[in-house]
Amino acid sequence: MVYKRRKRIVLGKVGLDAHDNGLRIVSKWLMDSGYEVIYAGLYNTPERIVQVAIEENADAIGISFLGGEHLFYTDKLAKLLKGKDMGDVKLIIGGVIPPDDVDKLKELGASSVFTPGTMRDTIISIIDGILKG
Amino acid sequence: MNKERKFSFYLEGERIPNFKSLSGIEYKEVYTQSDWHGEVPNPGQYPFTRGIHKDMYRGRLWTRRQQSGFGTPQQSNERIRYLLKIGQTGINMDVDVATKLGLDPDHPLAQGDVGLQGTSLCTFEDMKTLYTDIPLDRVSSTLIVQPPCSAIVMAQYLLLAKERGIPWENLIGTIMNCAITQFVGPTFEATTAFFPIDLTIKIGLDVMEYLVPRTPRWNIININAYNIRETGVNAVQEAAFAISLAADYIKGLMDRGLEIDSFAHRMAFFSAAHIDLFEEVAKLRAMRRIWARMLKEKFGAKSNRSMWFRTAIQTSALALTAQQPLNNIVRATIQTLAAVLGGAQSIHTTGYDEAYSLPTEESHKLSIRTQQIIAYETKVANSVDPLGGSYLVETLTEQLEEQIWELMKVIENKGGFIQCFKEGWVEEQINEARYKWANAIETGQQPMVGVNIFRDEDEDVKINIFRHTPDMQTTRIQYIQDYKSKREQEPVRRALDKIYNLVRRRPDINLFEPIMEAVEARATLQEICDAMRQATDFVIPS
């Protein structure tokens, strides 16, 4: 039997918005599904999130937004990841995101965008797909 | 869900998954005299179960108070004036997250959030701009901000009144000023990361103590039950947490030597109306009863007005969905009805676009029209407490009241709500409730149309979304930088030094006046907060 390391995901919020209902719930769902969650909590800078991802050797970063700050910060995060040659670390975005911005976030570098009302199985199967192998 | 399944639903007989209330009370098949055969005093009579006034909405409709605030104070002023023009009857002013946390727009961590969820309000001049052409003594304002910044924003407002020659005793409105729950509910990290918690609570009390003798028509606090509820807890927890927290504030003011009847009538609440219609009505009736009894029996209030549980209501956004957003209009209408049947003093009907953005002008207008239709067309406001005497609603009121008292006792035995918050007990309760709520939706036990039932799989949502102007944030950052460089610096330095020294050396002194002096000297919001942070060696995230 080959030992298979559990996939590691850094979850957090960046900037000043503190609405973390969704993040807390998704965090539990991911742990229940066998992921290792590094919970970075609130009030992070993009730099700090990327630093945590490096230190924790994470496979993905999941960031939750609510107040309309998603484009500003996703752009920063994606550029930081590229700049540090961490393009293989997947960027996953969730939260209150207007429909028109979902594609914009993907263009900026998000692997997936989850908006409110996405069911647990959908989230898990999409993240499984992104991180498989 | 495919067509076949829908068809078989019909053949089987369509049934809902359970008959529980949102808080888990089992609704009976039918309620009769055997469930309730009590008597309940008339509206306007202790313990005010049926309403705090004898005539309620016949004498005066509830205040239509839609939250607003975004971008620059100039932009928010335009939106407020629009809302007043179309029939809003009170102002409900939200500040942005940076302002709430005591940061100016040019702070590195604030830049991405400036003006997004409220207006940026950092200087005395900002307050002047925000209230341009709005008469402070003729329209009531709720200022949504918690300590320590509630002291700064309140000072801006009082200074503006002074400049306009309006006596403070004529000011009508509310400073939210709730130290523990105002931000995003009583979650620990959110509430403690940017300011020392004990000083936050202390400044909240300072604000109340300062206002009580000076602004007799102004509410010194809104205990924020709504934000507690929006974390996912149930109606019992919402009520028990909020009233227990209010008891802590009351004790704090009485410890300072204030007499209960001098201030209790200026304390009010801000509560949620969720989607479980009867339970929400019963909750508000139970809260009125509990507040009245607590004030009278525990705190020795003599005046009826101290025993009036007055509440603003916002319809809960947790009940709303991103899927099929027009459905939210229906939900918010029913929730607004719950608030009216429950006897609320003012109502904010949450916009159908809540799961996407701040409300557009169109959606703001629809919320106001929803309330106007209920008020003027449906006749539900014609008689006071129309559900009073209903076997079901009276039974639920009693059941909820009992459970709320029980939970309040648990909290009191643990040292009070603030203690429970500091020890992490509240945080545990909230997280448990969040997972439970999510699980109820996952399993379908809490049906949500468009989400876990009747979902349109390939839904392509078409919705008009509110967008900020692209240069709003840079405008604000530039503004605050210019402001700080162009003012006279010496008075600012003196005022900030005074605050620093008082916090450092005279921790018991009321800080409201020194803070007002600093605002008058043109210190910014963050500078005032920083003086207090430095005095307590407090470090914020970076």
Side-chain angles (χ1 to χ4, degrees):
Chain A
M1 204 176 108
V2 183
Y3 170 74
K4 205 153 173 244
R5 150 187 181 285
R6 287 196 296 161
K7 298 282 183 188
R8 299 162 74 92
I9 302 185
V10 176
L11 287 187
K13 285 181 68 79
V14 291
L16 299 181
D17 179 66
H19 289 89
D20 59 350
N21 273 3
L23 193 69
R24 288 274 186 184
I25 291 164
V26 170
S27 155
K28 182 162 192 314
W29 286 348
L30 285 169
M31 289 190 280
D32 291 348
S33 307
Y35 287 93
E36 203 169 315
V37 170
I38 298 106
Y39 192 76
L42 310 176
Y43 306 130
N44 296 286
T45 56
E47 289 79 7
R48 175 151 191 277
I49 289 287
V50 170
Q51 190 56 37
V52 172
I54 293 171
E55 284 165 13
E56 298 286 344
N57 193 19
D59 303 285
I61 292 171
I63 305 293
S64 167
F65 293 107
L66 177 132
E69 68 286 22
H70 47 276
L71 293 172
F72 180 88
Y73 281 119
T74 302
D75 185 39
K76 290 201 169 205
L77 279 162
K79 283 186 178 137
L80 278 170
L81 287 176
K82 253 178 233 154
K84 299 209 185 263
D85 202 19
M86 292 169 66
D88 54 330
V89 175
K90 307 294 183 199
L91 188 55
I92 298 162
I93 304 296
V96 172
I97 314 273
D100 290 351
D101 288 356
V102 171
D103 286 339
K104 284 186 208 159
L105 288 171
K106 288 182 177 164
E107 281 161 32
L108 289 174
S111 301
S112 193
V113 179
F114 299 111
T115 52
T118 312
M119 302 299 278
R120 173 175 50 197
D121 291 352
T122 310
I123 293 177
I124 299 300
S125 75
I126 290 176
I127 293 180
D128 284 350
I130 292 171
L131 296 184
K132 99 177 148 238
Chain B
M1 200 178 292
N2 59 34
K3 274 186 185 149
E4 247 171 321
R5 179 78 191 282
K6 270 181 193 162
F7 190 57
S8 69
F9 254 31
Y10 170 70
L11 288 177
E12 289 160 11
E14 197 171 353
R15 283 186 57 154
I16 58 174
N18 64 68
F19 300 104
K20 282 185 169 42
S21 79
L22 275 184
S23 77
I25 294 172
E26 189 73 34
Y27 278 104
K28 292 176 64 173
E29 183 175 291
V30 66
Y31 289 79
T32 66
Q33 212 168 12
S34 66
D35 297 291
W36 186 80
H37 47 270
E39 271 190 32
V40 52
N42 286 335
Q45 288 179 9
Y46 182 85
F48 311 104
T49 314
R50 304 199 64 189
I52 59 171
H53 301 298
K54 183 173 157 290
D55 57 353
M56 284 302 289
Y57 304 134
R58 291 170 75 103
R60 167 198 190 135
L61 284 173
W62 65 89
T63 307
R64 292 185 290 279
R65 198 186 288 285
Q66 294 298 123
Q67 244 183 60
S68 59
F70 62 87
T72 66
Q74 169 74 35
Q75 290 172 318
S76 289
N77 174 264
E78 285 163 20
R79 179 66 73 91
I80 294 174
R81 287 195 290 168
Y82 168 79
L83 291 171
L84 291 172
K85 198 180 79 190
I86 61 171
Q88 164 145 305
T89 47
I91 294 169
N92 202 358
M93 194 61 240
D94 206 358
V95 300
D96 70 359
V97 190
T99 305
K100 284 187 180 132
L101 292 175
L103 300 179
D104 286 342
D106 58 344
H107 187 276
L109 203 54
Q111 296 186 359
D113 289 280
V114 174
L116 292 186
Q117 298 179 48
T119 198
S120 175
L121 202 61
C122 305
T123 68
F124 174 46
E125 284 72 12
D126 284 342
M127 185 60 89
K128 286 209 259 198
T129 308
L130 181 64
Y131 276 88
T132 304
D133 294 332
I134 297 169
L136 303 186
D137 50 349
R138 299 225 314 277
V139 56
S140 71
S141 279
T142 296
L143 305 171
I144 307 176
V145 58
Q146 81 275 36
C149 296
S150 53
I152 300 167
V153 170
M154 194 66 227
Q156 295 171 352
Y157 197 82
L158 291 177
L159 288 169
L160 177 60
K162 191 170 137 195
E163 190 178 277
R164 290 192 187 170
I166 298 165
W168 288 357
E169 56 263 31
N170 293 353
L171 295 176
I172 35 177
T174 302
I175 183 87
M176 295 292 277
N177 198 32
C178 189
I180 303 288
T181 66
Q182 179 54 53
F183 196 42
V184 283
T187 59
F188 193 81
E189 190 183 4
T191 309
T192 57
F194 282 85
F195 210 76
I197 186 65
D198 288 330
L199 188 53
T200 305
I201 296 163
K202 189 244 176 210
I203 292 173
L205 294 170
D206 285 354
V207 172
M208 295 189 246
E209 187 183 29
Y210 184 83
L211 293 177
V212 163
R214 294 175 177 85
T215 56
R217 303 174 73 195
W218 190 268
N219 294 311
I220 57 176
I221 189 168
N222 251 5
I223 294 103
N224 194 327
Y226 179 86
N227 286 10
I228 295 176
R229 184 68 179 277
E230 288 295 275
T231 61
V233 300
N234 66 32
V236 173
Q237 291 167 307
E238 174 194 348
F241 289 4
I243 299 175
S244 300
L245 177 56
D248 282 348
Y249 292 138
I250 291 175
K251 283 180 205 148
L253 289 175
M254 289 177 85
D255 285 348
R256 290 183 179 206
L258 272 72
E259 199 264 320
I260 184 75
D261 284 321
S262 73
F263 66 86
H265 63 292
R266 295 316 327 168
M267 299 177 86
F269 286 77
F270 170 47
S271 315
H274 216 299
I275 196 80
D276 185 338
L277 180 75
F278 295 123
E279 182 169 79
E280 292 302 301
V281 172
K283 174 192 78 183
L284 293 174
R285 299 173 91 247
M287 285 175 93
R288 276 198 293 274
R289 203 137 85 189
I290 291 168
W291 179 254
R293 291 203 176 129
M294 183 174 87
L295 267 287
K296 185 177 181 166
E297 290 166 20
K298 183 175 175 148
F299 293 113
K302 304 269 187 303
S303 154
N304 266 352
R305 294 187 65 204
S306 300
M307 303 174 211
W308 288 356
F309 172 86
R310 296 174 303 133
T311 192
I313 292 281
Q314 180 171 344
T315 63
S316 167
L318 274 189
L320 306 185
T321 64
Q323 290 70 26
Q324 307 173 30
L326 292 178
N327 295 349
N328 293 331
I329 300 170
V330 181
R331 295 188 178 102
T333 304
I334 293 166
Q335 294 171 286
T336 303
L337 181 64
V340 172
L341 297 175
Q345 275 56 58
S346 76
I347 304 177
H348 164 112
T349 299
T350 302
Y352 74 99
D353 46 4
E354 176 79 4
Y356 289 100
S357 64
L358 291 184
T360 58
E361 266 190 12
E362 181 190 38
S363 136
H364 247 149
K365 186 174 177 180
L366 182 60
S367 293
I368 290 173
R369 293 289 180 258
T370 304
Q371 293 190 33
Q372 289 164 330
I373 289 167
I374 291 175
Y376 285 93
E377 297 181 8
T378 65
K379 319 290 183 198
V380 298
N382 286 11
S383 297
V384 180
D385 189 32
L387 297 180
S390 143
Y391 298 129
L392 182 155
V393 171
E394 296 294 355
T395 307
L396 262 188
T397 303
E398 285 179 1
Q399 285 175 318
L400 286 172
E401 185 191 0
E402 196 185 317
Q403 292 188 23
I404 295 165
W405 277 122
E406 250 169 58
L407 185 52
M408 283 172 62
K409 197 155 288 168
V410 170
I411 293 167
E412 192 175 7
N413 289 339
K414 289 176 181 293
F417 188 79
I418 292 176
Q419 189 60 26
C420 288
F421 168 81
K422 287 187 189 171
E423 283 174 3
W425 180 83
V426 175
E427 185 89 351
E428 281 168 29
Q429 305 298 305
I430 288 175
N431 280 335
E432 202 176 292
R434 284 167 162 165
Y435 302 144
K436 224 163 135 182
W437 175 251
N439 200 43
I441 294 169
E442 281 296 317
T443 56
Q445 283 303 307
Q446 175 55 41
M448 286 185 98
V449 171
V451 176
N452 59 8
I453 45 168
F454 312 113
R455 192 177 177 115
D456 295 336
E457 278 314 332
D458 298 313
E459 185 183 11
D460 184 13
V461 175
K462 295 269 178 280
I463 183 167
N464 188 18
I465 299 281
F466 173 83
R467 291 284 181 188
H468 290 282
T469 48
D471 58 349
M472 176 271 288
Q473 295 190 327
T474 46
T475 305
R476 276 303 286 174
I477 292 167
Q478 191 61 50
Y479 163 80
I480 202 74
Q481 286 171 346
D482 290 348
Y483 186 89
K484 284 188 281 195
S485 67
K486 285 177 187 159
R487 68 189 172 188
E488 210 184 313
Q489 304 297 344
E490 188 49 27
V492 176
R493 194 192 56 75
R494 272 203 310 272
L496 294 176
D497 282 353
K498 182 172 173 184
I499 292 173
Y500 175 92
N501 286 324
L502 286 173
V503 173
R504 195 106 188 156
R505 300 191 178 89
R506 304 274 309 278
D508 289 334
I509 215 157
N510 190 312
L511 290 167
F512 194 88
E513 256 172 22
I515 286 173
M516 188 150 62
E517 284 164 24
V519 173
E520 203 168 13
R522 303 299 187 265
T524 68
L525 174 110
Q526 184 179 339
E527 289 173 325
I528 295 169
C529 289
D530 279 349
M532 296 189 276
R533 289 176 181 127
Q534 284 154 13
T536 48
D537 301 315
F538 188 84
V539 182
I540 64 173
S542 58

